[in-house]
Amino acid sequence: MQHRGVTVWFTGLSGSGKTTISQALEKKLRAAGAKLEILDGDIVRTNLTKGLGFSKEDRDENVRRIGFVANLLTRNGVIVLVSAISPYRDVRDQVRQRIGDFVEVYANASVEVCESRDVKGLYKKARSGEIKNFTGISDPYEEPLTPEVNCETEQETLEESVNKVMAKLEELGYITPVAV
Ligand code: ADP
C-alpha cells in the first residue's frame, strides 16, 4: 500500500467508538506497512495537554495542541489517527483548515447508547455529579455537519465502520493499494 500524509480525526461522545475504530484501523494500516501515529485524547491529556481541564477554553486548547502535532506529522507523510471528543465545531474546523489533508470521522451514537455501554464508568460518575462538565450529560457536543465519514456505531459492526473509513481514504487518494 502506498499512502500520503493525512489526519483522520475521530470526534464523538465518550463511548461512541473513537478509540475502538481507530485501533482497528491502526492494525489494518500497519499490516499494510503504513507510517502511522495515534493521538488518543485520553493519553494526550496525560502528557502533551496535561493540566488542561474541561472548560470550553481548555477543551479548545487541547484540540489546538493535538492539531499542531497532527499537522507536523501529516506534512511529513504520516497517517495520524486522532481520537478526541473535540465537542466544539469551530475549533475542529480551524484545525481542518490548518492541516488541509484532514478527514473527519463522526463516531455517531446517541448519548443513551453511549451511557448504556459506559465503557469507562464515566457516565455513572457524571450522573452522580462526581464528574462535572461531562459531554452529552452536563456539557455540549456539537456534531459535525458534513463529516467525511459517518460511523453509525449503534447499527454497524466494528468491521463495517473500519471499512467505511478505509474506503473513504482510498476514494480521496490517501491510500492506494499496490497490486502484487
Ligand atoms: P470512545 O473512544 O469514543 O470513548 P470506545 O471506543 O472506548 O469509545 O468504546 C466504544 C464501545 O462501543 C466499545 O465497547 C465497542 O466495542 C462498542 N462498539 C459497538 N459497535 C461499534 C462500532 N461499530 N464501532 C466502534 N465501537 C463499537
Side-chain angles (χ1 to χ4, degrees):
M1 193 193 74
Q2 293 184 334
H3 67 83
R4 298 198 287 129
V6 59
T7 291
V8 185
W9 190 285
F10 292 83
T11 175
L13 296 172
S14 178
S16 60
K18 303 178 297 294
T19 299
T20 306
I21 301 170
S22 57
Q23 286 180 350
L25 192 65
E26 174 192 21
K27 260 195 192 157
K28 237 184 162 149
L29 290 168
R30 279 207 200 282
K35 267 200 297 180
L36 179 141
E37 288 291 347
I38 285 211
L39 294 169
D40 188 282
D42 289 343
I43 296 164
V44 164
R45 274 186 175 276
T46 69
N47 43 71
L48 178 68
T49 65
K50 192 169 176 181
L52 292 178
F54 294 89
S55 64
K56 179 170 191 309
E57 290 68 30
D58 279 11
R59 286 177 185 273
D60 283 352
E61 181 60 23
N62 182 46
V63 165
R64 265 187 231 104
R65 286 193 205 168
I66 295 171
F68 179 84
V69 176
N71 187 31
L72 297 180
L73 292 164
T74 298
R75 68 186 200 203
N76 278 286
V78 177
I79 298 178
V80 188
L81 307 182
V82 174
S83 154
I85 296 173
S86 46
Y88 295 107
R89 196 176 289 136
D90 258 15
V91 74
R92 286 198 308 265
D93 287 344
Q94 280 170 31
V95 169
R96 171 196 286 278
Q97 296 307 325
R98 173 143 326 154
I99 298 178
D101 292 302
F102 185 94
V103 173
E104 190 172 35
V105 181
Y106 181 21
N108 184 354
S110 66
V111 70
E112 290 78 17
V113 165
C114 293
E115 184 165 8
S116 71
R117 290 176 178 161
D118 211 2
V119 189
K120 298 162 215 156
L122 297 175
Y123 282 90
K124 199 159 168 250
K125 290 187 180 165
R127 289 289 181 199
S128 71
E130 198 181 319
I131 302 179
K132 310 231 178 317
N133 305 111
F134 193 76
T135 303
I137 303 291
S138 45
D139 221 46
Y141 178 76
E142 299 174 356
E143 58 178 24
L145 299 177
T146 53
E148 276 76 8
V149 187
N150 183 19
C151 290
E152 296 181 88
T153 69
E154 288 182 26
Q155 288 127 42
E156 296 166 15
T157 64
L158 173 59
E159 197 187 357
E160 284 170 330
S161 296
V162 170
N163 287 343
K164 269 186 170 177
V165 182
M166 287 291 283
K168 181 56 74 175
L169 291 177
E170 203 173 321
E171 180 194 321
L172 296 174
Y174 289 114
I175 59 177
T176 315
V178 178
V180 279

